[in-house]
Amino acid sequence: MPRTAPDDASLAGPGDLPHRRLGRTGLTLPALSLGLWQNFGEADAFATQREIVLHAVDRGVTHVDLANNYGPPGGAAESSLGRLLARDLRPVRDELVVTTKAGYRMGPGPYGEGGSRKYLLSSLDASLRRLGLDHVDVFYSHRFDPTTPLHETVGALGAAVRSGRARHVGISSYSARRTREALHVAAELGVELVVTQVSYSMLNRWIEVPDASGESVLDVAADAGLGVVAFSPLAQGMLTDRYLRGTPRGSRAARGGPLRGEFLSEENLEHVRRLDALARSHGRSLAATAIAWALRDERVTSVLLGASSTRQLDDNLAALAAPALTDEELRAVESVPADTGINLWAARSSDL
C-alpha cells in the first residue's frame, strides 16, 4: 500500500512550492521538478526554452534534470541550460539542483553508451563542459547495463563523487533486483547511492509490483533510504485531454516520438476516458489528478515534468494546490492494470 504523506511531510521551499527531502540526504527537492528531456533541442527556439526555465525558477522550481543525450541532437539540452547558467542563472546557481545522466546511446563506437567506467566518466566530463559547471548535484547511471559488471558502473559513480564532479550519485530505471544488487555493490565499494529515478504514472505502475523476492522498487528504495524521482507522470501526454478524441496533428504520437501508436489502444484510452470523467466530476483536470496521484506516496520525492510553454508549466504547478484525491478516485486507478504496456524502458533496463 502507498504511504500517504502526512500534512507536515513537506518542507517549505523557494516560491512556496512544497519540498520533500531526498532520501537520507540533506537535499530537498520541489514536489514538481523540470525535466529537459523534450522541447529543449536545436529545433526548439532558444528564446522559448529560456522563458520556460527562468519562469520555472521564478516559481520556485529549484531542480532541473537532464541527461547527456537530451536534445535532439544529444547534448543540446545541456548546452541550452549552460547558456542560461552562464548568464541569467549565475546568481542563483547554488540554489539550484542540476542533475544529469549517462547510459543510453550518445555517440558512435563501443564507448558511446552503456555502463563502463570509460563511458560514464568521459560523458560526465562532456556534460560539465556543455553546462559550464565544475560539478553537478546528482549524476545518474541512466540504465542498468547487463554487459558491464555493476562493480565497474557503481565504481565509476563513486569516482565522480570523489573527484568532486558530482555531489551525489544515483541510478535510473533499475528493477528492484538490480537496485538491490547496486546497493550491495555500493556498500562494498563505499559508494553512497542516494536516489533512483523511475517512470511512474497511473498507467505505468511497475515500481509498485513486487518481484520474486516479494519487494517492489518502492520497497527497496524505502528500506535503503533512497529518494525516488518519478518521471513521465502524465504517461507522455496520455494522462491529459490531448488524446481523448484521437491523435492531434503535431502531437508526440503523430511525430513518431516515444509515445508510440500502440500505446493509444482503445483499451488504454477507455481507462484514460474513465479517469478523465472522474477527475472532472471532482473539479480537477486529468493532468492535475495524475500529478497528485504520483505524489500521494511519501516515498516519491519529486515528479519530473517537461513543459512546452510557461502556461503549461503553470497549469502543472497548480496541481500542487488541488484538493486531495478521493477514495473513489484512488479505487478507479486501482482498477487499471498495473502493466498497460507503456513502459518505454522495460526491454532495455527495468525488466532486466
Side-chain angles (χ1 to χ4, degrees), residues 47-77:
T48 303
Q49 297 179 44
R50 177 177 181 271
E51 182 181 28
I52 292 169
V53 173
L54 297 188
H55 186 67
V57 173
D58 284 344
R59 291 292 313 273
V61 178
T62 55
H63 174 211
V64 183
D65 180 76
L66 304 114
N68 61 348
N69 62 338
Y70 288 178

Side-chain angles (χ1 to χ4, degrees), residues 257-273:
L259 181 57
R260 298 193 292 271
E262 61 264 30
F263 297 159
L264 300 172
S265 67
E266 187 55 34
E267 181 181 6
N268 282 347
L269 289 176
E270 187 54 37
H271 293 313
V272 173
R273 293 184 190 108

Side-chain angles (χ1 to χ4, degrees), residues 122-206:
S122 63
S123 176
L124 176 56
D125 288 340
S127 291
L128 293 175
R129 288 194 295 271
R130 287 188 289 266
L131 290 165
L133 299 175
D134 61 4
H135 74 275
V136 291
D137 297 290
V138 181
F139 178 54
Y140 291 91
S141 165
H142 205 169
R143 67 179 179 94
F144 172 74
D145 176 11
T147 69
T148 302
L150 265 175
H151 278 77
E152 181 173 344
T153 299
V154 175
L157 296 178
V161 173
R162 289 192 299 274
S163 66
R165 288 175 279 182
R167 294 288 188 253
H168 300 281
V169 288
I171 55 179
S172 179
S173 295
Y174 279 49
S175 66
R177 171 191 172 190
R178 300 306 185 185
T179 301
R180 283 192 300 270
E181 292 175 353
L183 287 164
H184 178 73
V185 170
E188 286 184 352
L189 298 178
V191 176
E192 186 177 9
L193 300 177
V194 304
V195 60
T196 182
Q197 188 176 125
V198 287
S199 61
Y200 187 44
S201 75
M202 296 191 295
L203 296 177
N204 181 21
R205 292 160 46 207
W206 69 277

